[in-house]
Structure formats: C-alpha cells, structure tokens
Amino acid sequence: MTAPLRAPDTAQAVTRLRHFWRAPGARRRIPLVLCAATAWLVFVVAHRVLSGRVWWWQIPELVPPLALAAVPVVLLLAALAARRARRAAAVVALASLVLGAGASGLNLAALWHRAAPAPTDAIKVFSWNTWYWDQSVDSAMPPPTGTPPRDVAAFYRYLHAQDADVLLLQEYVYFDADSRPVRVNDLDRLRREFPGFHIATASEMVTLSRYPIVFERGINLEVADSRDTPVPPGSDWPGFYTVKTLRTDLRVGSRTVSFYNSHINSPVDPSAGGLDLLSLNRTQHEARKANLRALAADVQANPLPAVLAGDFNASPAMGILRLVPGRMADATPALRSLYPATWDDRWPWWRIDWAYTTPEVTVHDYRLVRSNGLSDHSGQRLVLSLSR
C-alpha cells in the first residue's frame, strides 16, 4: 500500500515549481517558437477533424486559406533561427505544413500541368455569380445597400464577351429593402440577347446553352430535422432557399452531357444583413450539407458525363468540400495561377467558386475572368471536350 503524501512534501514541490518558473531564463526552458508551433499544430489537427462536420466550427473555418501554408513556413524559419528546441519546433512546424497545405488554396500543379490542345468542337463554358443579376439603378429594382450601381448594357456586354456555348449563371434574383429575394423574369431579354440559345431556370440559377436541352430539373435539398430548414417563416418563395443546383442535360453532337449549375448555401444567414456570430448558425450549416448531399446523390445516380460549376461559398480551407460528388475531379490543376482566388473580385483573397468534371470530360483550358465591377465574384471560363 502506498504511503500518503505528507503536506510538507507537497509544499516543497510547489515551492520548487515556483522557483523553476520564476528563475532567470525560465521562459527559455520551453522556447516560444515551440509553444507557437505546437499551438498551431493543435489548431490544424482540430480543423481537419471538425471543419465541415460540426456547425460550431464555422468561425475558425473563416481563416484565410493561405494561412495554412504561410503560418507553418514562418514558424519553420523561426525554429531554424532559434537557439533552443530547434529540431522539435521544426518538426512540429513541418507537421502542421503537411497537414494543412492541402487546404491552403495553393495550386502547385500550375507549375507542371500542361493541358492538351482543344479540338475544334470543344465546348466553351462560362460560370459566374452575377451579384443579384442586373439589379441596379437602370433596372426595375434599386441596388441593395452596399452594391454599386451597374450599367445593365455593360452586364450583357460582359456575358457576350465570354463567347461561351454554355453559361451557368447564379443569383438570377433581386433583393428588396428587407433583404428578401424577389423573382426575376428576364427571359424575353435573354432570348433577344442570345438568339438560338436554349434556356433553363430553377430558383436563382439560369443556364443558357447553344446545345439543345433534353432534360432539366432543380435539385431540392432535404434536411433531416425540420428545425434545420433554411426557409424563413412566411416565405413566398421557399424554392429560393431549398433549390440550389440546376441540372440540365445537353445534347452535344451525338452525346448527352449533364451540366450542374450550383450555388451552395452561404454559411452566413442571408437574413442577418452581415457577418456576425449569430449569422453563422446550425441552420445554415445543415442546409449546406443537405445541398451537397442532394447534389452528390444525383451525380452518383447519373451515368452521363458531367460538369459541375458555380459558387460553392466554400474556401479551400472548408472541410465541407469533401461532400463534393465522388465522381467529380477538381479542374484546378488546369488553372495557371499558383493561388487562384475568385472573391472578392476587387481584392481577391479567397476562392469560393469551383469547377469539377467526371473522367469522361477533358479540361483544355481554365481561367478566372475578372468582372470589372459588375460582380463581387470572378467568372470561370473553361474549354472542355468529351473523350472519344
């Protein structure tokens, strides 16, 4: 049987511990760089485990993606310059770099990826979040607060300038003074502006195609718990909140290709009027997951070649992107930028717009197109072909 610890021994131990920390140079016994590297590694591990899985991790998810690569590099340099615990700090910093770099948004494939030349019958695709369509002083609705006035003619000139065969456009919607969505019916003008194009709409997505549309439908999300529905009480347009992907099957030559035009729910509650702690809630998180799961289920059951593009409201640092359909491959390697960013278009630091294809589709060219003040998102322009 172990003898009980005597009070004088305990007091002596506490006294020794106090002297240890109060002694000159005590802080150097555990170097600051090792503490910082360890703290960052703990954050990165927690982020990899929790991001996209629990709603209350949405605030840490807002970390700038580049920080997941930049911070460990800075810590590594500091560790190499340290006098004590240099090796331990360097190992910890390297571990956080290995774990986090894949979510940093760096596109190292741009250094070596070389796409094959496009065939003459390649499909030119343009995907873009329009920022409340053409809502401006020139349209029927005044622009929302914080949105600059826009020239509607310039809006259509920009669309024409993309010279696309397929346009996947999001935010085909206006918002009133109370931040409520208002349906847009611009089909007559779209037909005039794009004669010969086929048009499909669902919720706030619109797809225009030179190729015939043989099938179309909006993909409706379903939340497991009625308390998590993103539809505000009394909404006269529930589909705006629950239909966030428009699928159109296009007849391209002798083959049919599915195009998914997506605008995944924002992590920020649109009724909050801004980014605050209350606007990042469980309802938005569950709606985002339900949206991507509904999309994935449709893609998995679809045997056709497919293209998915749009505004995912998710940076490379957000684990919710792991719910992107498994059949889909990220088209990012075809981009020429080492750090592609699409938002905010004026000072792009985050990438939240993405493009994916199934293996039957080859990406020959992929570029991000600045919107010149017409939107807060850059557009995505792709040149694709089907495997023979």
Side-chain angles (χ1 to χ4, degrees):
M1 181 174 180
T2 305
L5 184 66
R6 293 176 299 170
D9 294 339
T10 304
Q12 290 175 8
V14 172
T15 300
R16 291 194 200 99
L17 187 62
R18 286 175 177 169
H19 284 314
F20 175 85
W21 287 110
R22 291 178 179 176
R27 291 183 180 179
R28 292 196 297 272
R29 289 187 168 93
I30 301 180
L32 180 62
V33 66
L34 179 56
C35 293
T38 302
W40 184 254
L41 177 60
V42 170
F43 169 78
V44 172
V45 171
H47 185 73
R48 294 300 298 266
V49 172
L50 300 174
S51 180
R53 292 190 172 97
V54 294
W55 71 267
W56 42 266
W57 194 257
Q58 291 183 97
I59 294 176
E61 281 184 329
L62 297 178
V63 61
L66 193 57
L68 292 169
V71 170
V73 168
V74 171
L75 290 170
L76 180 60
L77 294 174
L80 295 176
R83 299 179 61 185
R84 297 175 60 86
R86 177 186 304 176
R87 182 175 300 177
V91 169
V92 174
L94 279 173
S96 63
L97 179 61
V98 170
L99 286 174
S104 68
L106 290 174
N107 178 31
L108 297 181
L111 297 174
W112 60 79
H113 181 83
R114 295 295 180 268
T120 55
D121 59 349
I123 307 167
K124 293 176 288 185
V125 180
F126 182 66
S127 173
W128 185 43
N129 181 322
T130 62
W131 206 14
Y132 315 138
W133 199 238
D134 63 353
Q135 185 171 356
S136 71
V137 292
D138 294 336
S139 62
M141 295 279 292
T145 303
T147 306
R150 283 172 287 176
D151 180 351
V152 176
F155 172 81
Y156 281 99
R157 285 196 301 270
Y158 178 79
L159 292 179
H160 284 297
Q162 309 315 317
D163 188 29
D165 300 311
V166 180
L167 295 98
L168 308 174
L169 306 176
Q170 303 93 48
E171 288 197 4
Y172 180 59
V173 61
Y174 294 154
F175 279 87
D176 64 18
D178 297 321
S179 297
R180 290 176 301 195
V182 178
R183 289 181 176 89
V184 174
N185 185 357
D186 214 13
L187 295 181
D188 288 341
R189 177 155 189 173
L190 283 171
R191 293 188 183 102
R192 292 195 306 270
E193 295 282 350
F194 295 91
F197 274 68
H198 305 265
I199 303 174
T201 63
S203 182
E204 43 102 356
M205 282 75 62
V206 57
T207 296
L208 294 88
S209 169
R210 294 186 193 274
Y211 308 105
I213 298 174
V214 297
F215 176 80
E216 64 180 87
R217 79 178 184 94
I219 298 176
N220 195 78
L221 65 85
E222 294 183 8
V223 292
D225 191 328
S226 60
R227 294 174 301 176
D228 295 327
T229 177
V231 182
S235 172
D236 60 357
W237 190 9
F240 171 79
Y241 303 93
T242 61
V243 177
K244 289 299 184 180
T245 297
L246 167 61
R247 170 183 168 178
T248 51
D249 293 356
L250 310 182
R251 193 66 177 169
V252 181
S254 61
R255 304 180 66 177
T256 302
V257 186
S258 294
F259 283 81
Y260 292 87
N261 178 1
S262 288
H263 186 188
I264 306 302
N265 308 66
S266 169
V268 180
D269 187 342
S271 65
L275 178 60
D276 57 51
L277 296 180
L278 297 179
S279 66
L280 295 165
N281 55 42
R282 172 179 168 173
T283 297
Q284 291 301 113
H285 175 72
E286 294 300 326
R288 299 175 79 207
K289 291 201 301 183
N291 192 333
L292 283 165
R293 285 171 177 160
L295 170 61
D298 192 278
V299 172
Q300 291 301 117
N302 181 1
L304 298 172
V307 177
L308 164 63
D311 173 9
F312 283 67
N313 274 306
S315 80
M318 295 183 179
I320 202 164
L321 286 175
R322 69 172 65 94
L323 296 179
V324 169
R327 285 183 62 209
M328 294 288 191
D330 186 359
T332 299
L335 283 169
R336 301 176 185 178
S337 171
L338 280 172
Y339 186 71
T342 64
W343 186 88
D344 184 315
D345 185 70
R346 295 160 294 188
W347 299 97
W349 281 99
W350 275 262
R351 183 184 183 190
I352 60 176
D353 301 84
W354 300 84
Y356 300 86
T357 62
T358 55
E360 306 92 336
V361 180
T362 300
V363 181
H364 299 280
D365 191 34
Y366 183 13
R367 303 185 186 191
L368 302 179
V369 185
R370 300 293 292 272
S371 67
N372 303 321
L374 293 169
S375 173
D376 56 347
H377 288 252
S378 297
Q380 303 180 88
R381 187 161 56 197
L382 301 102
V383 179
L384 313 171
S385 70
L386 302 175
S387 58
R388 303 299 179 183

